Amino acid sequence: METEEDISIWPRMEPFMLGALQVAPSSKLGSHYLRKMAMYVQTRDGCCPLLQWPMWRHIACGKLQLPEDLAWLYFETFDLLIGHTSEKRLERAECLSQCSSKSELDQQRNKLSVDTLQFIIFLFIQQLNRVSLRSSLIVEEWPSQRTRSPSPSTSERESKTCSQNKNWDDQAHLSFVHSHLAEILELLVEPSQLPRSGQAQRDCQISLDAVRSLSLLLEGSTSQGTTVQSVYRLLTKGPLQAQSGYCAKSRSFPFHKLLSCLQQNLTLNPFGVTACQHSGKKLAWAQQVEGAMKRAKIARNTHTAPPGSKIISMSQVLKQTLAKTSEKLTGTNIKIHRCAESFIYLLSPLRSVTVDKCRDCTVVLGPVETTVHIHSCENVKVVCVAGRVAFGASSHCTAFILTPTRPLLLPGNTDITFGPYHTFYPSLEDHMASVGLAVVPNVWDQPLVLGTEGLLNASQCNTTTNMESVCYRLIPQAEFHTLVVPFKMEGDTCEIPGGLPPLYQATVDEKNKRIRTWHKTVTEARLNKEQRGLFQELVEMKFHEWLLETGHRQELDGHFGAAG
């Protein structure tokens, strides 16, 4: 018979990695206001178990005084996080592409709904990136050895989480859940159970239906290596049923028994970044230049992790060209960290991608179902089709993108350039369909600027007094070129999906016309053999000079080829 020591419960990775916006949240998303929201939706008809967009807009704009665009950003982010089928995403894209006015777009949005209690938990998770002096004390309040990381430098790492990318930090996720679990459970208590203070009392009960919503945040297993289960299943059978106080007759849990049970069994995510870096497998590439990859650290947990927890961590790739298309990449969350002067091609359908603290790199991606986040980067070029593209604390970066959601500019960016998606590879359209991304709608040129003081509106973005509002531009036509993916692959895609916007297509046509004119001029010059040889030498010399000046020589010299 299993004992309670056999059971582990841990924070799921994706709600933090993909759901928490990397900006200090509005004070209106604190516990006090979210408790009021929880009470409001549970006492109104038509708000539970599903919350429709019009009701959330009413609460966000009317009660919490949030701008409508910010309310939609949270709603849309949660919807991206939740696993819809690719067929449903494509069906919705088709409906949105038919909208020709704001009122028609609003009609489509009004059809959308989310799980009410899970959405409230999601809003609470935004506190992950709240700047607080208290966060530096969390590690000192740690009660259990079970929650310790195997790393000997846990305390040092946790004390630094305020300045690091917490969205990928499983230590920060664990600290957050352990510190705020009581507040999260209070959001699930029915209003009739709460006194006027809104604080849950010892004899409060939480219904099983409410506890089901914790599956957004927590999961676990009965022993290491067994099937991952949702938290409510673990709490309603076996040794945790008694420990959590679950009563099958009333289908509810005593608040403080449930809280104690969860806290005692919380541990670090066994599929998180920490475990991946300690015991993950290396990712093989087609070729490797001897000695060139010595510093690089590339690990994956795709051989053991369940869907939603698959990670590939790629760090310290320097002056290399790496390329891969593989089933091992499909559906993974990828982190590209501290890479420099490299060209990276990951041409498979992906779950999410974070490019963190990289410089002087070009990253070409297969379709990304959720978010591509570029954080603390300098002079990085990203080419992708993605559910969302976000920049934070980055400078001199360029994104050539196709996306159905407005690109998100978080605080700290300077000189960000957006351009239309400008490449293809043979299996691209099949990969897009597999993650539910279509060619329309495509709003690559309509960034949303989320500054430290909240969203910046159009009038602010037309002034030069606010530096956050002038942090981006659309690429001028004169600077625009298409990109050729230099690998042989199977597939039917032979052109850029959806084509280029007319102005950029005209630029490409003009450049192609000049090339044809050049070829014609050379042909009509009727050079003899010696002249052709001298002319070829001159052209090659100028070409190599151009390769060196632009840095493209490195891409050719370091080219690995695509791995299967």
Side-chain angles (χ1 to χ4, degrees):
M1 181 176 178
E2 291 172 328
T3 64
E4 62 184 62
E5 284 75 24
D6 295 321
I7 297 178
S8 295
I9 293 172
W10 57 82
R12 292 184 63 237
M13 183 177 62
E14 286 198 347
F16 296 98
M17 181 190 297
L18 308 180
L21 297 181
Q22 294 189 24
V23 62
S26 166
S27 60
K28 299 298 178 67
L29 296 183
S31 299
H32 172 73
Y33 290 101
L34 290 181
R35 272 200 301 269
K36 285 192 170 185
M37 176 182 168
M39 294 175 68
Y40 183 85
V41 296
Q42 291 184 82
T43 54
R44 296 292 186 281
D45 291 336
C47 293
C48 279
L50 297 178
L51 183 68
Q52 292 188 309
W53 160 243
M55 179 53 73
W56 164 238
R57 179 177 55 194
H58 167 71
I59 294 169
C61 302
K63 306 291 184 182
L64 302 179
Q65 301 297 302
L66 298 177
E68 183 173 334
D69 280 346
L70 186 57
W72 174 250
L73 177 63
Y74 286 124
F75 199 82
E76 183 179 62
T77 301
F78 181 77
D79 188 69
L80 267 177
L81 172 64
I82 300 304
H84 296 298
T85 64
S86 57
E87 291 79 11
K88 184 175 180 180
R89 290 188 188 277
L90 290 172
E91 182 181 320
R92 185 187 300 176
E94 175 66 23
C95 292
L96 291 173
S97 69
Q98 303 298 319
C99 297
S100 57
S101 64
K102 187 179 185 303
S103 62
E104 290 180 359
L105 180 63
D106 286 341
Q107 286 177 11
Q108 289 299 324
R109 287 184 175 181
N110 289 346
K111 298 176 182 178
L112 300 179
S113 61
V114 295
D115 182 289
T116 305
L117 293 180
Q118 286 195 352
F119 184 60
I120 293 173
I121 293 173
F122 160 81
L123 293 175
F124 188 90
I125 289 173
Q126 303 307 314
Q127 300 298 318
L128 176 72
N129 290 307
R130 179 168 59 95
V131 178
S132 170
L133 293 176
R134 181 184 172 218
S135 62
S136 64
L137 302 177
I138 290 174
V139 68
E140 297 175 12
E141 300 167 2
W142 213 251
S144 168
Q145 286 298 317
R146 294 196 65 211
T147 56
R148 292 290 186 186
S149 160
S151 168
S153 57
T154 300
S155 299
E156 181 183 348
R157 290 188 69 258
E158 287 188 339
S159 67
K160 293 180 180 178
T161 53
C162 293
S163 60
Q164 293 180 345
N165 185 345
K166 292 184 183 180
N167 291 53
W168 270 80
D169 190 338
D170 45 16
Q171 298 280 358
H173 306 168
L174 183 58
S175 293
F176 181 87
V177 172
H178 203 285
S179 299
H180 298 287
L181 191 55
E183 295 168 87
I184 293 169
L185 293 184
E186 284 177 355
L187 298 175
L188 307 181
V189 177
E190 293 181 6
S192 60
Q193 296 268 331
L194 291 171
R196 288 188 177 183
S197 66
Q199 300 277 333
Q201 300 297 309
R202 192 165 196 85
D203 57 349
C204 280
Q205 299 285 313
I206 300 182
S207 71
L208 176 60
D209 287 339
V211 170
R212 287 178 193 272
S213 64
L214 285 176
S215 297
L216 173 75
L217 186 66
L218 301 172
E219 63 188 8
S221 66
T222 54
S223 62
Q224 193 170 7
T226 61
T227 304
V228 174
Q229 300 183 48
S230 60
V231 68
Y232 80 88
R233 291 191 183 277
L234 291 171
L235 292 169
T236 54
K237 61 182 181 181
L240 288 195
Q241 180 174 355
Q243 192 181 347
S244 66
Y246 176 64
C247 176
K249 185 176 181 180
S250 63
R251 293 172 59 82
S252 65
F253 301 82
F255 179 94
H256 282 279
K257 267 202 164 188
L258 177 60
L259 175 61
S260 175
C261 174
L262 291 172
Q263 286 178 329
Q264 288 178 36
N265 290 282
L266 268 180
T267 188
L268 196 65
N269 189 330
F271 307 108
V273 175
T274 301
C276 182
Q277 290 174 345
H278 279 82
S279 58
K281 283 191 175 182
K282 290 184 177 180
L283 190 68
W285 301 89
Q287 304 172 40
Q288 291 191 3
V289 177
E290 187 175 353
M293 293 291 286
K294 195 168 288 185
R295 290 182 57 194
K297 300 174 182 177
I298 303 174
R300 64 180 176 89
N301 69 1
T302 54
H303 57 296
T304 59
S309 297
K310 294 182 183 296
I311 293 174
I312 293 177
S313 175
M314 181 185 303
S315 182
Q316 300 182 56
V317 176
L318 176 64
K319 294 184 178 180
Q320 294 296 310
T321 296
L322 303 183
K324 193 170 184 69
T325 176
S326 168
E327 285 295 320
K328 293 184 179 72
L329 293 178
T330 301
T332 58
N333 296 288
I334 294 178
K335 185 175 185 179
I336 303 170
H337 179 64
R338 292 193 183 280
C339 297
E341 301 178 56
S342 295
F343 299 85
I344 299 170
Y345 297 81
L346 302 174
L347 304 179
S348 294
L350 309 169
R351 176 68 173 157
S352 76
V353 176
T354 296
V355 185
D356 185 47
K357 295 183 174 68
C358 295
R359 61 176 176 82
D360 305 317
C361 290
T362 295
V363 181
V364 183
L365 302 170
V368 181
E369 182 180 356
T370 58
T371 300
V372 175
H373 188 93
I374 300 94
H375 183 263
S376 297
C377 290
E378 181 179 359
N379 194 30
V380 167
K381 181 189 296 182
V382 175
V383 182
C384 64
V385 180
R388 170 178 290 155
V389 175
F391 280 91
S394 296
S395 62
H396 311 293
C397 292
T398 304
F400 293 96
I401 55 176
L402 190 165
T403 179
T405 65
R406 296 176 66 182
L408 183 59
L409 290 167
L410 300 166
N413 294 304
T414 56
D415 192 18
I416 306 299
T417 299
F418 291 102
Y421 187 71
H422 66 338
T423 192
F424 66 90
Y425 60 91
S427 51
L428 174 58
E429 287 172 308
D430 288 341
H431 288 173
M432 288 174 63
S434 72
V435 296
L437 289 171
V439 297
V440 287
N442 182 12
V443 289
W444 68 270
D445 56 349
Q446 300 175 38
L448 192 63
V449 183
L450 184 58
T452 52
E453 301 300 319
L455 283 178
L456 301 181
N457 58 39
S459 63
Q460 288 173 298
C461 290
N462 288 331
T463 69
T464 57
T465 55
N466 191 321
M467 293 307 295
E468 286 178 329
S469 67
V470 292
C471 65
Y472 77 91
R473 64 169 189 159
L474 303 184
I475 191 167
Q477 292 167 245
E479 297 177 22
F480 181 77
H481 307 273
T482 56
L483 174 72
V484 176
V485 174
F487 309 115
K488 290 183 178 180
M489 302 169 63
E490 297 293 324
D492 299 324
T493 302
C494 55
E495 59 185 5
I496 298 168
L500 293 170
L503 289 176
Y504 292 99
Q505 184 61 55
T507 299
V508 172
D509 291 343
E510 178 59 31
K511 289 177 180 176
N512 289 336
K513 181 181 176 182
R514 290 203 296 268
I515 292 171
R516 289 194 298 271
T517 301
W518 166 255
H519 283 304
K520 183 180 179 183
T521 301
V522 172
T523 301
E524 293 177 348
R526 299 183 183 279
L527 302 177
N528 60 36
K529 186 175 181 179
E530 183 180 355
Q531 288 172 326
R532 284 199 303 271
L534 290 171
F535 181 71
Q536 184 173 342
E537 287 179 14
L538 180 62
V539 170
E540 288 179 357
M541 182 181 71
K542 291 294 183 183
F543 177 62
H544 285 294
E545 287 177 2
W546 176 82
L547 285 176
L548 290 170
E549 289 172 1
T550 59
H552 293 304
R553 175 63 181 270
Q554 174 198 326
E555 185 173 6
L556 294 179
D557 290 347
H559 170 48
F560 278 0

